[in-house]
Amino acid sequence: MTPGPAYDLSAELLPHALAHSVLDPDDSKFHVLRARGRADVHLALRPVRCSDGDALQTYVRELSPGSRYNRFLGGVSELPALELARTLAANGRDTLSLLVTSTAKGRETVVGEARVALSCAERAGEFSMSIADDWQHLGVGSALLEEIERKAAADGIELLFGDTLRTNEGMIALARGRGFRLGRGIEPRLVRIEKQLDDAAPDLPCRKWKEIAKGAEVN
Ligand SMILES: CC(C)(COP(=O)(O)OP(=O)(O)OC[C@H]1O[C@@H](n2cnc3c(N)ncnc32)[C@H](O)[C@@H]1OP(=O)(O)O)[C@@H](O)C(=O)NCCC(=O)NCCS
């Protein structure tokens, strides 16, 4: 199991509805308020780095079998090598791999992750995510999804969706709570959760990504 967080999260936790995300776009951090009159717990949201392979694999191995099954839509004990490589190779533009981390006594621990793939042409983005078992039911998943929506909308994405197991009540309830609707999944055992992002930026993403690609060719 994931070692317990170094914070006192016991009886004083506020319901997650009171948790809120205040991501600072410059340093990509958010903190989740949860303890009445106590110090806030600070969680960082940051893009994955190529050096994160071991930390990410440890995180996945320490998820409960049920969480892993829900996250990877089947029984895996760890990230397959190809999947790990893909996660670490995210380019930060149309493929994003995000980590939620907690730092205590100078040691950073991964407590959540998300993958997002954006299609500029279709103005659509697909996501999947998980939160460490010890950190579930605290509002972190909801805050993470809110940030995924915000980032996608800022890149001009109009439709955000994810396929999840029909039996995954937690993810379905979380998504519904954030205004996602349910649609047909790509397989009968799956359901698609999808949301129209009303505040999508008008035409930023293609232009921005094309310019970056052009710059890379020139250099
Ligand atoms: C689904 C998951 C991401 C939720 O993360 P979380 O941090 O626990 O979610 P939150 O605390 O933000 O919960 C927000 C809301 O989601 C719903 N919810 C979350 N977990 C739930 C559960 N197990 N059962 C029912 N509803 C649940 C509730 O409506 C909750 O609001 P409430 O506390 O007022 O009832 C987390 O359980 C997880 O990582 N599961 C394993 C991986 C997975 O299923 N990934 C999804 C595949 S894409």
Side-chain angles (χ1 to χ4, degrees):
M1 282 299 298
T2 309
Y7 310 95
D8 180 0
L9 293 175
S10 53
E12 297 290 315
L13 299 182
L14 290 179
H16 86 277
L18 293 181
H20 70 263
S21 123
V22 285
L23 186 77
D24 175 342
D26 292 329
D27 67 3
S28 285
K29 276 185 181 169
F30 70 88
H31 66 254
V32 180
L33 294 180
R34 55 181 61 143
R36 285 188 208 108
R38 292 192 180 185
D40 299 345
V41 175
H42 292 266
L43 297 177
L45 175 63
R46 65 166 177 84
V48 80
R49 303 180 192 117
C50 23
S51 55
D52 284 322
D54 285 348
L56 185 59
Q57 196 60 284
T58 300
Y59 165 80
V60 171
R61 287 189 190 122
E62 290 181 350
L63 283 173
S64 66
S67 287
R68 263 199 316 267
Y69 193 90
N70 279 336
R71 170 63 178 85
F72 300 104
L73 312 179
V76 295
S77 54
E78 61 176 25
L79 276 174
L82 189 60
E83 194 56 31
L84 180 61
R86 272 204 205 111
T87 305
L88 298 178
N91 62 21
R93 298 191 298 277
D94 54 348
T95 53
L96 309 173
S97 298
L98 302 172
L99 297 184
V100 182
T101 63
S102 120
T103 302
K105 295 186 180 157
R107 185 164 170 269
E108 188 189 47
T109 307
V110 178
V111 300
E113 55 74 42
R115 295 275 311 271
V116 188
L118 305 177
S119 163
C120 187
E122 293 174 20
R123 294 283 178 104
E126 180 171 8
F127 78 96
S128 53
M129 56 184 272
S130 66
I131 302 297
D133 290 79
D134 289 353
W135 288 84
Q136 292 179 10
H137 308 294
L138 299 172
V140 182
S142 195
L144 175 58
L145 184 52
E146 184 179 351
E147 287 311 324
I148 293 171
E149 289 172 39
R150 194 192 61 75
K151 280 176 185 289
D155 275 334
I157 297 302
E158 292 169 354
L159 180 76
L160 187 62
F161 68 91
D163 288 313
T164 195
L165 291 168
R166 212 166 263 289
T167 49
N168 191 345
E169 291 174 12
M171 189 63 221
I172 292 171
L174 189 167
R176 275 196 155 134
R178 293 213 43 81
F180 282 70
R181 61 173 196 269
L182 301 189
R184 187 198 288 261
I186 46 170
E187 297 171 33
R189 69 191 182 120
L190 301 178
V191 66
R192 176 154 291 190
I193 48 180
E194 56 188 16
K195 181 175 180 178
Q196 212 68 40
L197 302 176
D198 298 331
D199 50 351
D203 72 340
L204 273 173
C206 299
R207 207 175 53 209
K208 193 173 64 184
W209 296 339
K210 272 187 190 151
E211 278 166 11
I212 291 169
K214 224 171 19 188
E217 274 170 25
V218 171
N219 295 326

